[in-house]
Amino acid sequence: MAQTCGLSLLLTLLLPALGASTPGVEFRLNSAALSYVSEVGKAPLQRSLQVTVPHFLDRREVLQVNRIQIVKVHVARLRLKFIAGFGVRLLTAANFTFEVVRAKKPLELKMPVALMADMQVFQSAIGTPVVSISSCLSFFDNAVLSDSWDRPLPALMVLLQRHLKAVLRNKLCLSVSNLVQNLNVHLGTLIGLNPVGPESQIRYSVIDIPTVTDDYIAWNISAILFLLGKPIILSSNATLFMWPHPMGDEGVMATVVLSQGLFDASFLLLQKAGSLNLDITSQLKSDDNPLNTSSLGQLIPEVARQFPEPMPVVLKVRLGATPVATLSTNSATLRLQPFVEVLVPTSNSAFQSLFSLDVVVNLSLQLSVSKVKLQGSTSVLGAIQLTVASSNVGFINTDQVHELMGTVFERPLLDHLNALLSMGIPLPTVANLYYVNPQVFIHEGYVVISSELSYQC
Ligand SMILES: *[C@@H]1O[C@H](CO)[C@@H](O)[C@H](O)[C@H]1NC(C)=O
Ligand SMILES: *[C@@H]1O[C@H](CO)[C@@H](O)[C@H](O)[C@H]1NC(C)=O
Ligand SMILES: *[C@@H]1O[C@H](CO)[C@@H](O)[C@H](O)[C@H]1NC(C)=O
Ligand SMILES: *[C@@H]1O[C@H](CO)[C@@H](O)[C@H](O)[C@H]1NC(C)=O
Ligand SMILES: *[C@@H]1O[C@H](CO)[C@@H](O)[C@H](O)[C@H]1NC(C)=O
C-alpha cells in the first residue's frame, strides 16, 4: 500500500487533470511541482531500485560466493525537469551497497550509479494522462570495497564488477518503468466520478496531449457535470473560451484556470436538480419568520378580511431561471431570479395562495479552495428587487410588502445557498493529492487558482 502510494507520487507530478470539450479547465504544473516530486519521490525510487541480484556464476569457484544482495540504495540526487515540446527528464544519482556473501568474511561493495530517463505524456482513449518512457540510460562507476583489509584477488573484483553492472543495466530501467506504470494507474484516478451533490457528479478528463515548456506542463481538461447520470449541456459557447497566457504565479506548484462555462454548468446543475428551491415555513410568534396573516393584513386589507384570525404564512421559493454568475476583475457576482409564492396553510393540509412575486437578488460570490474543492459563499449586494407576479388578494403595494418580505426572505435564502455552495465542487486532482495554501483570483470570464500541492497517503 505504502509502496503504491509512493510510486504514484513520482508521476503524480506529471498529471492531474482530465477533460472533455465543455466546459474547460486548464491545469498547469510549474517547475516547483517537479521540485516537490523530486523531494518526495526519492524514497519510492530508492525502494524500487532495490532489485534482486541473481546468483553469481563463479565457475572457477575462486570467489566462493554464495549470494550477492543489495543491502542499501541511497538516492543522493533526484532531479526532474521539463524539456520544452517534449516531456520530463529524470536524472538521478544513487549509491548502491552490495553485500557479497561467501565462504570467507562477506565483502561490502559500493557502486555509484546514474540514471537518466526521458518521459513523454500522452492521453489514453478514456481521457487519463499516460506517462511513457521514451529512453532510459544507466551509467556505472566501478564498485569499491568498503573495507580495504580483506582484498579479494583483482581478477575476482573484475568478475564481480562485470556481473553487477550487467545486472543493474538490465534491471534499473525496468524498475523505473514499473514505477511509471504504477504512476499511470494512479493518474487514472483523475477521471473518477466525484460527487457534487446527492444525485450529481463531475468528471474530468484530459482532451489533448499537454503543452510542455521549460517552465511548465499544461493540460486542457474537460469537465462534465452529471445529474442523475445525464450530462449537463450548456447552450452557450463555453467551449470557445480563450485561454489566458501567461497567467498566475509561476512560483507555485499548480495553476488551475476555471472557465466561465464551469460556473454556468454548475449553477445550471443546481437549478435543474431543484437544489436551489426552498420552502420558508413559519409558526406563529416565531422570530425566524415573523410573517403572518395579521402583519400582512395591515398592508393588504384583503388578507385581513380573509383571515381574521392570525395564520402562519409559507413562502415557496422556486428557481425557474438559471442563476447567472458573472466573473469580472476581482469580483464574482451571482444573479438569482426566484419566483416566490406566498401561501397560507389551510385546515385540510392544503395551501391557499395569497400572491406571488418575481424576485431579483444580486449576490456577491466569494470563492475559496479547501483540500480538493472549490467552495463559495454569498452575501446580498444592494437591494432585493420584488415585483408582484399574481395576486389573489387584490392590489398589493410593492413598496409596502418589500421591507417585510425582504427580511423574511433574505436570511433563509442566504443560509440555504451558502450551505449548498459550501459543499463545493471537486477540482481536478488524483487520489491523495490535495491543494495546499490555495489562492483564488477572479478575472473577466475566468478564475485562476494558484496553489501548492501536497501528496498525502
Ligand atoms: C557514494 O558513496 C561514496 C562513498 O561513501 C561517496 O564518496 C559518494 O559521494 C557517494 N555518491 C553519491 C552519489 O551519493
Ligand atoms: C487548450 O486548447 C486551446 C484550443 O485548442 C489551445 O489554444 C491551447 O493551447 C490548449 N492548451 C493547452 C495547455 O494545451
Ligand atoms: C455560438 O457561437 C456561434 C458562432 O460564433 C454564434 O453564431 C452563436 O450565436 C453562439 N451562441 C451562443 C449561445 O452564444
Ligand atoms: C405576526 O407578526 C408580527 C411581526 O411581523 C408579530 O409582532 C406578531 O406577534 C405576529 N402575530 C402572531 C399571532 O404570531
Ligand atoms: C443586479 O445587477 C444587475 C447587473 O449589475 C443590475 O442591472 C441590476 O439593477 C441589479 N439588481 C438589483 C436588484 O440590485
Side-chain angles (χ1 to χ4, degrees):
M1 209 47 212
Q3 175 81 355
T4 314
C5 205
L7 303 175
S8 14
L9 168 41
L10 179 60
L11 284 193
T12 293
L13 54 86
L14 291 183
L15 49 98
L18 334 115
S21 56
T22 19
V25 174
E26 187 181 286
F27 190 99
R28 195 167 81 182
L29 282 177
N30 302 314
S31 296
L34 285 191
S35 306
Y36 175 64
V37 177
S38 308
E39 206 47 54
V40 290
K42 266 187 194 175
L45 180 64
Q46 229 158 244
R47 281 195 297 274
S48 78
L49 294 180
Q50 196 121 16
V51 297
T52 53
V53 180
H55 191 63
F56 181 67
L57 262 188
D58 176 18
R59 287 198 190 83
R60 287 168 292 174
E61 305 253 320
V62 269
L63 260 183
Q64 295 179 301
V65 170
N66 296 327
R67 122 182 94 86
I68 305 174
Q69 62 190 27
I70 295 175
V71 289
K72 190 177 165 199
V73 179
H74 173 66
V75 172
R77 281 194 310 279
L78 171 58
R79 204 175 152 227
L80 292 158
K81 62 175 195 170
F82 293 119
I83 310 283
F86 179 78
V88 176
R89 175 167 293 166
L90 174 149
L91 295 160
T92 187
N95 257 340
F96 282 69
T97 307
F98 301 93
E99 187 186 40
V100 182
V101 181
R102 51 180 192 153
K104 291 196 206 168
K105 185 176 185 295
L107 297 174
E108 194 182 84
L109 292 171
K110 280 202 169 175
M111 183 189 275
V113 174
L115 271 176
M116 183 175 98
D118 282 346
M119 295 171 275
Q120 282 177 285
V121 187
F122 303 99
Q123 89 275 18
S124 71
I126 54 168
T128 62
V130 176
V131 179
S132 134
I133 296 180
S134 58
S135 74
C136 178
L137 295 170
S138 46
F139 309 93
F140 307 94
D141 246 339
N142 279 336
V144 293
L145 284 164
S146 295
D147 36 18
S148 49
W149 53 272
D150 186 18
R151 295 195 159 274
L153 295 170
L156 305 178
M157 275 303 284
V158 169
L159 280 177
L160 266 178
Q161 300 270 12
R162 204 179 290 153
H163 179 64
L164 294 178
K165 286 179 191 176
V167 168
L168 296 190
R169 188 167 290 120
N170 277 334
K171 292 200 167 187
L172 296 190
C173 283
L174 201 57
S175 295
V176 174
S177 171
N178 288 338
L179 205 56
V180 167
Q181 286 318 313
N182 280 304
L183 175 67
N184 284 333
V185 170
H186 193 71
L187 290 180
T189 60
L190 178 72
I191 62 166
L193 268 181
N194 284 304
V196 174
E199 291 145 349
S200 50
Q201 295 94 16
I202 189 166
R203 164 176 279 163
Y204 292 104
S205 57
V206 292
I207 43 183
D208 214 346
I209 57 166
T211 298
V212 187
T213 72
D214 287 337
D215 302 312
Y216 65 81
I217 183 166
W219 285 265
N220 272 338
I221 291 180
S222 98
I224 304 183
L225 288 144
F226 294 90
L227 175 61
L228 293 168
K230 289 192 178 149
I232 296 286
I233 308 290
L234 292 174
S235 54
S236 65
N237 288 330
T239 36
L240 299 182
F241 180 62
M242 294 306 291
W243 297 106
H245 285 287
M247 59 178 196
D249 173 1
E250 291 192 9
V252 301
M253 293 184 202
T255 313
V256 186
V257 184
L258 309 172
S259 65
Q260 171 84 47
L262 183 66
F263 291 86
D264 294 346
S266 304
F267 285 109
L268 180 58
L269 172 87
L270 286 177
Q271 185 239 327
K272 284 192 169 201
S275 317
L276 293 163
N277 299 338
L278 82 153
D279 289 351
I280 303 169
T281 55
S282 74
Q283 282 164 355
L284 293 179
K285 311 263 185 228
S286 139
D287 290 337
D288 289 354
N289 178 1
L291 196 59
N292 55 51
T293 52
S294 56
S295 54
L296 268 181
Q298 286 170 16
L299 309 172
I300 309 166
E302 178 61 16
V303 173
R305 200 191 62 76
Q306 288 187 19
F307 302 94
E309 292 300 314
M311 294 286 284
V313 167
V314 174
L315 306 185
K316 277 193 185 296
V317 181
R318 296 292 175 262
L319 276 109
T322 307
V324 179
T326 305
L327 304 172
S328 46
T329 309
N330 296 327
S331 95
T333 56
L334 189 61
R335 187 176 159 91
L336 293 189
Q337 291 178 268
F339 176 76
V340 179
E341 195 160 21
V342 182
L343 307 148
V344 174
T346 53
S347 49
N348 52 2
S349 76
F351 292 91
Q352 179 180 339
S353 172
L354 300 182
F355 57 95
S356 61
L357 301 166
D358 284 318
V359 181
V360 182
V361 196
N362 286 339
L363 300 154
S364 81
L365 179 62
Q366 280 81 42
L367 299 171
S368 60
V369 173
S370 167
K371 283 195 158 188
V372 294
K373 285 190 169 182
L374 177 70
Q375 298 171 320
S377 70
T378 56
S379 51
V380 172
L381 266 185
I384 291 182
Q385 186 186 307
L386 303 176
T387 44
V388 175
S390 68
S391 171
N392 296 323
V393 288
F395 174 74
I396 295 167
N397 181 331
T398 318
D399 290 343
Q400 285 186 321
V401 292
H402 192 279
E403 197 183 338
L404 183 58
M405 294 298 300
T407 34
V408 173
F409 174 75
E410 184 173 317
R411 182 47 37 204
L413 179 73
L414 277 184
D415 289 348
H416 178 70
L417 206 54
N418 287 334
L420 269 179
L421 299 181
S422 71
M423 287 195 280
I425 182 160
L427 290 167
T429 187
V430 295
N432 302 321
L433 188 68
Y434 299 97
Y435 291 82
V436 178
N437 299 327
Q439 281 189 289
V440 180
F441 303 97
I442 301 168
H443 299 274
E444 188 94 34
Y446 62 97
V447 168
V448 174
I449 297 164
S450 243
S451 182
E452 303 299 338
L453 298 172
S454 173
Y455 191 81
Q456 295 159 11
C457 41

